Amino acid sequence: MLNGAVRPGGLAIALSGTAAAAIAMAAAPWVRAQVLPIMVLPLLLAVIAGGAAAAALPRWAAGGAIVAAVAAVQVAGMATVARRDILNFAGAGGTSYDQAYLQSPFLTALAVAAAAAAGLALLMALLLLVDPRRLVRAYRSLEVWAGLLVVAAVPIGLCWALGYGSLSALGQFALWWSVPWGLALVAAGIARAQGRWAAWLSLAGSVALSVACVVAPLLNGPYLRFPD
């Protein structure tokens, strides 16, 4: 019965990711205005690819679900931050407050669509990937402890290093980076072999995209806006 649900589940993830990508493109001016980090676009491609892999190749469903889950969680977090910031940053790049009010529902819809994809992918990953024996011994897993540490320590460390003292900044760094990275590490600690490889690849890809967005201002203009 579970195997029969893999293809529809993968298709649902891919469709949710496609809807989120369409919404992100509708909000494209805000990508240029730095409210929505440009890395959401490759992340959404990862969501679609993970869902499509599960639908077309059920033997890869487990890995595809992990890839889609980590990417979708990060997109949902970035869209949530963008929805908070959009009115604050109205006027950037010549964008008016009227345009900001018009774009705000798109960012809300993007967060909802990404969250839906994340929920579906996490459910599929939980059903297909989690090894009960490893789950019972999760408290002994270095990956699980590392994931929990990353969730807490990365935002605190960034706020300390960059001189931010607000809960808003702490939440922004958590939603942007530490929650999806911690999720990937926890998944690596409790999943079967295919899921562990997918989790590590997802973590590496997310970190690489994040570093690229941070470095990009030095090369070709700003692609991330840090808390003000």
Side-chain angles (χ1 to χ4, degrees):
M1 184 174 180
L2 179 59
N3 290 335
V6 167
R7 289 184 187 275
L11 182 60
I13 294 168
L15 289 175
S16 297
T18 301
I23 295 165
M25 293 306 296
W30 289 96
V31 174
R32 292 193 293 273
Q34 310 168 49
V35 176
L36 188 64
I38 199 169
M39 67 180 285
V40 301
L41 300 178
L43 286 172
L44 285 169
L45 289 178
V47 175
I48 296 169
L57 301 167
R59 67 180 181 277
W60 294 106
I66 282 289
V67 170
V70 173
V73 165
Q74 190 161 20
V75 172
M78 289 185 161
T80 300
V81 172
R83 172 62 182 82
R84 179 203 66 186
D85 288 342
I86 190 168
L87 295 179
N88 295 333
F89 296 154
T95 304
S96 69
Y97 281 96
D98 288 340
Q99 290 173 312
Y101 279 109
L102 288 173
Q103 291 290 338
S104 180
F106 286 97
L107 294 173
T108 300
L110 174 58
V112 170
L120 290 167
L122 285 169
L123 178 61
M124 180 178 288
L126 182 64
L127 294 175
L128 294 177
L129 281 175
V130 173
D131 185 338
R133 293 168 299 176
R134 291 176 66 84
L135 186 60
V136 170
R137 299 194 301 269
Y139 69 93
R140 295 162 60 181
S141 169
L142 290 178
E143 292 96 336
V144 170
W145 284 108
L148 296 175
L149 179 63
V150 163
V151 169
V154 167
I156 294 172
L158 286 172
C159 284
W160 177 80
L162 299 174
Y164 297 118
S166 67
L167 289 175
S168 177
L170 196 72
Q172 178 168 335
F173 291 134
L175 290 172
W176 269 4
W177 293 321
S178 72
V179 170
W181 293 352
L183 173 64
L185 284 166
V186 170
I190 64 175
R192 295 184 175 92
Q194 185 185 133
R196 291 198 296 275
W197 280 106
W200 283 113
L201 287 173
S202 296
L203 177 62
S206 176
V207 171
L209 284 172
S210 300
V211 170
C213 278
V214 172
V215 173
L218 304 176
L219 306 175
N220 191 33
Y223 288 103
L224 280 180
R225 181 185 287 274
F226 286 92
D228 287 342

mmCIF file with all atom_site columns, all heavy atoms in Angstrom, residues 14 41 65 104 108 116-117 126 129 153-154 158 175 192 213-214:
data_model
loop_
_atom_site.group_PDB
_atom_site.id
_atom_site.type_symbol
_atom_site.label_atom_id
_atom_site.label_alt_id
_atom_site.label_comp_id
_atom_site.label_asym_id
_atom_site.label_entity_id
_atom_site.label_seq_id
_atom_site.pdbx_PDB_ins_code
_atom_site.Cartn_x
_atom_site.Cartn_y
_atom_site.Cartn_z
_atom_site.occupancy
_atom_site.B_iso_or_equiv
_atom_site.pdbx_formal_charge
_atom_site.auth_seq_id
_atom_site.auth_comp_id
_atom_site.auth_asym_id
_atom_site.auth_atom_id
_atom_site.pdbx_PDB_model_num
ATOM 1   N N   . ALA A 1 14  ? 6.177  17.407 -6.547 1.00 0.00 ? 14  ALA A N   1
ATOM 2   C CA  . ALA A 1 14  ? 6.637  18.121 -7.737 1.00 0.00 ? 14  ALA A CA  1
ATOM 3   C C   . ALA A 1 14  ? 5.671  19.232 -8.123 1.00 0.00 ? 14  ALA A C   1
ATOM 4   O O   . ALA A 1 14  ? 6.092  20.338 -8.507 1.00 0.00 ? 14  ALA A O   1
ATOM 5   C CB  . ALA A 1 14  ? 6.818  17.137 -8.892 1.00 0.00 ? 14  ALA A CB  1
ATOM 6   N N   . LEU A 1 41  ? 15.372 30.025 -6.255 1.00 0.00 ? 41  LEU A N   1
ATOM 7   C CA  . LEU A 1 41  ? 15.069 29.438 -7.571 1.00 0.00 ? 41  LEU A CA  1
ATOM 8   C C   . LEU A 1 41  ? 15.743 28.075 -7.748 1.00 0.00 ? 41  LEU A C   1
ATOM 9   O O   . LEU A 1 41  ? 15.063 27.092 -8.081 1.00 0.00 ? 41  LEU A O   1
ATOM 10  C CB  . LEU A 1 41  ? 15.442 30.423 -8.676 1.00 0.00 ? 41  LEU A CB  1
ATOM 11  C CG  . LEU A 1 41  ? 14.695 31.762 -8.613 1.00 0.00 ? 41  LEU A CG  1
ATOM 12  C CD1 . LEU A 1 41  ? 15.170 32.696 -9.709 1.00 0.00 ? 41  LEU A CD1 1
ATOM 13  C CD2 . LEU A 1 41  ? 13.186 31.552 -8.702 1.00 0.00 ? 41  LEU A CD2 1
ATOM 14  N N   . ALA A 1 65  ? 12.785 12.414 -1.641 1.00 0.00 ? 65  ALA A N   1
ATOM 15  C CA  . ALA A 1 65  ? 11.982 13.038 -0.598 1.00 0.00 ? 65  ALA A CA  1
ATOM 16  C C   . ALA A 1 65  ? 12.838 13.878 0.343  1.00 0.00 ? 65  ALA A C   1
ATOM 17  O O   . ALA A 1 65  ? 12.446 14.983 0.744  1.00 0.00 ? 65  ALA A O   1
ATOM 18  C CB  . ALA A 1 65  ? 11.229 11.967 0.188  1.00 0.00 ? 65  ALA A CB  1
ATOM 19  N N   . SER A 1 104 ? 3.017  41.416 -1.707 1.00 0.00 ? 104 SER A N   1
ATOM 20  C CA  . SER A 1 104 ? 2.946  40.727 -0.426 1.00 0.00 ? 104 SER A CA  1
ATOM 21  C C   . SER A 1 104 ? 2.154  39.417 -0.474 1.00 0.00 ? 104 SER A C   1
ATOM 22  O O   . SER A 1 104 ? 2.607  38.399 0.052  1.00 0.00 ? 104 SER A O   1
ATOM 23  C CB  . SER A 1 104 ? 2.361  41.666 0.631  1.00 0.00 ? 104 SER A CB  1
ATOM 24  O OG  . SER A 1 104 ? 2.283  41.029 1.876  1.00 0.00 ? 104 SER A OG  1
ATOM 25  N N   . THR A 1 108 ? 3.316  35.449 0.545  1.00 0.00 ? 108 THR A N   1
ATOM 26  C CA  . THR A 1 108 ? 2.542  34.594 1.450  1.00 0.00 ? 108 THR A CA  1
ATOM 27  C C   . THR A 1 108 ? 2.216  33.271 0.763  1.00 0.00 ? 108 THR A C   1
ATOM 28  O O   . THR A 1 108 ? 2.361  32.191 1.350  1.00 0.00 ? 108 THR A O   1
ATOM 29  C CB  . THR A 1 108 ? 1.242  35.296 1.866  1.00 0.00 ? 108 THR A CB  1
ATOM 30  O OG1 . THR A 1 108 ? 1.560  36.523 2.527  1.00 0.00 ? 108 THR A OG1 1
ATOM 31  C CG2 . THR A 1 108 ? 0.431  34.422 2.806  1.00 0.00 ? 108 THR A CG2 1
ATOM 32  N N   . ALA A 1 116 ? 3.741  23.389 1.992  1.00 0.00 ? 116 ALA A N   1
ATOM 33  C CA  . ALA A 1 116 ? 2.985  22.196 1.585  1.00 0.00 ? 116 ALA A CA  1
ATOM 34  C C   . ALA A 1 116 ? 3.918  21.151 0.988  1.00 0.00 ? 116 ALA A C   1
ATOM 35  O O   . ALA A 1 116 ? 3.824  19.952 1.307  1.00 0.00 ? 116 ALA A O   1
ATOM 36  C CB  . ALA A 1 116 ? 1.908  22.583 0.574  1.00 0.00 ? 116 ALA A CB  1
ATOM 37  N N   . ALA A 1 117 ? 4.823  21.591 0.118  1.00 0.00 ? 117 ALA A N   1
ATOM 38  C CA  . ALA A 1 117 ? 5.797  20.660 -0.459 1.00 0.00 ? 117 ALA A CA  1
ATOM 39  C C   . ALA A 1 117 ? 6.674  20.048 0.623  1.00 0.00 ? 117 ALA A C   1
ATOM 40  O O   . ALA A 1 117 ? 6.966  18.850 0.604  1.00 0.00 ? 117 ALA A O   1
ATOM 41  C CB  . ALA A 1 117 ? 6.656  21.385 -1.502 1.00 0.00 ? 117 ALA A CB  1
ATOM 42  N N   . LEU A 1 126 ? 9.700  10.275 6.111  1.00 0.00 ? 126 LEU A N   1
ATOM 43  C CA  . LEU A 1 126 ? 9.498  9.585  7.379  1.00 0.00 ? 126 LEU A CA  1
ATOM 44  C C   . LEU A 1 126 ? 9.038  8.149  7.156  1.00 0.00 ? 126 LEU A C   1
ATOM 45  O O   . LEU A 1 126 ? 9.509  7.212  7.807  1.00 0.00 ? 126 LEU A O   1
ATOM 46  C CB  . LEU A 1 126 ? 8.474  10.343 8.222  1.00 0.00 ? 126 LEU A CB  1
ATOM 47  C CG  . LEU A 1 126 ? 8.181  9.780  9.614  1.00 0.00 ? 126 LEU A CG  1
ATOM 48  C CD1 . LEU A 1 126 ? 9.428  9.856  10.488 1.00 0.00 ? 126 LEU A CD1 1
ATOM 49  C CD2 . LEU A 1 126 ? 7.032  10.537 10.265 1.00 0.00 ? 126 LEU A CD2 1
ATOM 50  N N   . LEU A 1 129 ? 12.139 6.315  4.838  1.00 0.00 ? 129 LEU A N   1
ATOM 51  C CA  . LEU A 1 129 ? 13.576 6.414  5.112  1.00 0.00 ? 129 LEU A CA  1
ATOM 52  C C   . LEU A 1 129 ? 13.988 6.045  6.521  1.00 0.00 ? 129 LEU A C   1
ATOM 53  O O   . LEU A 1 129 ? 15.086 5.545  6.737  1.00 0.00 ? 129 LEU A O   1
ATOM 54  C CB  . LEU A 1 129 ? 14.051 7.850  4.848  1.00 0.00 ? 129 LEU A CB  1
ATOM 55  C CG  . LEU A 1 129 ? 14.280 8.226  3.394  1.00 0.00 ? 129 LEU A CG  1
ATOM 56  C CD1 . LEU A 1 129 ? 14.633 9.694  3.320  1.00 0.00 ? 129 LEU A CD1 1
ATOM 57  C CD2 . LEU A 1 129 ? 15.378 7.398  2.792  1.00 0.00 ? 129 LEU A CD2 1
ATOM 58  N N   . ALA A 1 153 ? 23.017 26.987 17.381 1.00 0.00 ? 153 ALA A N   1
ATOM 59  C CA  . ALA A 1 153 ? 24.281 27.724 17.443 1.00 0.00 ? 153 ALA A CA  1
ATOM 60  C C   . ALA A 1 153 ? 24.507 28.643 16.254 1.00 0.00 ? 153 ALA A C   1
ATOM 61  O O   . ALA A 1 153 ? 25.110 29.715 16.418 1.00 0.00 ? 153 ALA A O   1
ATOM 62  C CB  . ALA A 1 153 ? 25.441 26.734 17.564 1.00 0.00 ? 153 ALA A CB  1
ATOM 63  N N   . VAL A 1 154 ? 24.068 28.253 15.069 1.00 0.00 ? 154 VAL A N   1
ATOM 64  C CA  . VAL A 1 154 ? 24.343 29.082 13.887 1.00 0.00 ? 154 VAL A CA  1
ATOM 65  C C   . VAL A 1 154 ? 23.705 30.471 14.006 1.00 0.00 ? 154 VAL A C   1
ATOM 66  O O   . VAL A 1 154 ? 24.384 31.488 13.801 1.00 0.00 ? 154 VAL A O   1
ATOM 67  C CB  . VAL A 1 154 ? 23.903 28.362 12.595 1.00 0.00 ? 154 VAL A CB  1
ATOM 68  C CG1 . VAL A 1 154 ? 23.881 29.328 11.414 1.00 0.00 ? 154 VAL A CG1 1
ATOM 69  C CG2 . VAL A 1 154 ? 24.839 27.199 12.301 1.00 0.00 ? 154 VAL A CG2 1
ATOM 70  N N   . LEU A 1 158 ? 25.999 33.823 14.397 1.00 0.00 ? 158 LEU A N   1
ATOM 71  C CA  . LEU A 1 158 ? 25.959 34.880 13.385 1.00 0.00 ? 158 LEU A CA  1
ATOM 72  C C   . LEU A 1 158 ? 25.556 36.218 13.998 1.00 0.00 ? 158 LEU A C   1
ATOM 73  O O   . LEU A 1 158 ? 26.121 37.264 13.649 1.00 0.00 ? 158 LEU A O   1
ATOM 74  C CB  . LEU A 1 158 ? 24.993 34.491 12.267 1.00 0.00 ? 158 LEU A CB  1
ATOM 75  C CG  . LEU A 1 158 ? 25.486 33.409 11.302 1.00 0.00 ? 158 LEU A CG  1
ATOM 76  C CD1 . LEU A 1 158 ? 24.375 32.961 10.366 1.00 0.00 ? 158 LEU A CD1 1
ATOM 77  C CD2 . LEU A 1 158 ? 26.688 33.918 10.492 1.00 0.00 ? 158 LEU A CD2 1
ATOM 78  N N   . LEU A 1 175 ? 15.573 30.659 10.075 1.00 0.00 ? 175 LEU A N   1
ATOM 79  C CA  . LEU A 1 175 ? 14.721 30.280 8.946  1.00 0.00 ? 175 LEU A CA  1
ATOM 80  C C   . LEU A 1 175 ? 15.518 30.171 7.653  1.00 0.00 ? 175 LEU A C   1
ATOM 81  O O   . LEU A 1 175 ? 15.257 29.291 6.824  1.00 0.00 ? 175 LEU A O   1
ATOM 82  C CB  . LEU A 1 175 ? 13.590 31.300 8.780  1.00 0.00 ? 175 LEU A CB  1
ATOM 83  C CG  . LEU A 1 175 ? 12.520 31.286 9.869  1.00 0.00 ? 175 LEU A CG  1
ATOM 84  C CD1 . LEU A 1 175 ? 11.572 32.475 9.701  1.00 0.00 ? 175 LEU A CD1 1
ATOM 85  C CD2 . LEU A 1 175 ? 11.738 29.983 9.834  1.00 0.00 ? 175 LEU A CD2 1
ATOM 86  N N   . ARG A 1 192 ? 17.937 5.500  6.570  1.00 0.00 ? 192 ARG A N   1
ATOM 87  C CA  . ARG A 1 192 ? 18.657 4.396  5.945  1.00 0.00 ? 192 ARG A CA  1
ATOM 88  C C   . ARG A 1 192 ? 19.689 4.958  4.957  1.00 0.00 ? 192 ARG A C   1
ATOM 89  O O   . ARG A 1 192 ? 19.760 6.158  4.730  1.00 0.00 ? 192 ARG A O   1
ATOM 90  C CB  . ARG A 1 192 ? 17.672 3.471  5.225  1.00 0.00 ? 192 ARG A CB  1
ATOM 91  C CG  . ARG A 1 192 ? 16.692 2.775  6.178  1.00 0.00 ? 192 ARG A CG  1
ATOM 92  C CD  . ARG A 1 192 ? 15.804 1.796  5.428  1.00 0.00 ? 192 ARG A CD  1
ATOM 93  N NE  . ARG A 1 192 ? 14.959 1.043  6.341  1.00 0.00 ? 192 ARG A NE  1
ATOM 94  C CZ  . ARG A 1 192 ? 13.739 1.394  6.705  1.00 0.00 ? 192 ARG A CZ  1
ATOM 95  N NH1 . ARG A 1 192 ? 13.216 2.524  6.224  1.00 0.00 ? 192 ARG A NH1 1
ATOM 96  N NH2 . ARG A 1 192 ? 13.025 0.658  7.536  1.00 0.00 ? 192 ARG A NH2 1
ATOM 97  N N   . CYS A 1 213 ? 25.508 33.149 -2.359 1.00 0.00 ? 213 CYS A N   1
ATOM 98  C CA  . CYS A 1 213 ? 24.705 34.362 -2.195 1.00 0.00 ? 213 CYS A CA  1
ATOM 99  C C   . CYS A 1 213 ? 25.390 35.387 -1.312 1.00 0.00 ? 213 CYS A C   1
ATOM 100 O O   . CYS A 1 213 ? 25.229 36.593 -1.500 1.00 0.00 ? 213 CYS A O   1
ATOM 101 C CB  . CYS A 1 213 ? 23.336 33.994 -1.615 1.00 0.00 ? 213 CYS A CB  1
ATOM 102 S SG  . CYS A 1 213 ? 22.153 33.415 -2.841 1.00 0.00 ? 213 CYS A SG  1
ATOM 103 N N   . VAL A 1 214 ? 26.143 34.920 -0.328 1.00 0.00 ? 214 VAL A N   1
ATOM 104 C CA  . VAL A 1 214 ? 26.864 35.845 0.544  1.00 0.00 ? 214 VAL A CA  1
ATOM 105 C C   . VAL A 1 214 ? 28.042 36.474 -0.204 1.00 0.00 ? 214 VAL A C   1
ATOM 106 O O   . VAL A 1 214 ? 28.330 37.668 -0.066 1.00 0.00 ? 214 VAL A O   1
ATOM 107 C CB  . VAL A 1 214 ? 27.355 35.124 1.816  1.00 0.00 ? 214 VAL A CB  1
ATOM 108 C CG1 . VAL A 1 214 ? 28.272 36.020 2.627  1.00 0.00 ? 214 VAL A CG1 1
ATOM 109 C CG2 . VAL A 1 214 ? 26.148 34.695 2.669  1.00 0.00 ? 214 VAL A CG2 1
#
